[in-house]
Amino acid sequence: AFADNSVRIIPLQDFEVPEGKILQVWTLYNKDVGPVSLGTLARAEATRLGAQPFPVPVDNQLYEITIEPAPGSPTGRQTGPILVMGFAKRPAN
């Protein structure tokens, strides 16, 4: 996650994405707002998801990737299984 609100996705393993599904990337920057989609991917590939109008990422901010129906979650929240989850950490100086 970067200060310009973009997120670089670098898969460490491949995921099979069933036909009619996509990978959707989420973050939880505010529990009152709830999880927010950062974008979708057709397959596991290195990419940078564009800047969105969210606060600057902070330590321990939650990120997840789920499988959702194409073209993305119909509810605006995660509906599919969580494939990956992790927390933002500041780079070591």
Side-chain angles (χ1 to χ4, degrees):
F2 299 94
D4 71 355
N5 292 318
S6 67
V7 175
R8 180 151 171 86
I9 305 297
I10 304 172
L12 301 178
Q13 71 181 63
D14 195 14
F15 295 101
E16 184 176 327
V17 180
E19 189 171 329
K21 304 284 186 176
I22 52 90
L23 299 172
Q24 193 154 4
V25 181
W26 304 87
T27 190
L28 179 64
Y29 66 87
N30 180 317
K31 289 182 181 182
D32 292 335
V33 173
V36 177
S37 176
L38 296 175
T40 61
L41 305 167
R43 58 183 160 54
E45 62 186 348
T47 190
R48 192 167 181 154
L49 298 176
Q52 302 216 15
F54 302 134
V56 174
V58 297
D59 279 345
N60 295 314
Q61 183 170 324
L62 176 66
Y63 289 88
E64 297 177 336
I65 299 176
T66 60
I67 292 183
E68 299 292 343
S73 170
T75 66
R77 302 284 190 195
Q78 302 102 313
T79 63
I82 297 170
L83 299 177
V84 178
M85 78 184 297
F87 298 90
K89 297 288 181 196
R90 292 211 178 271
N93 291 334

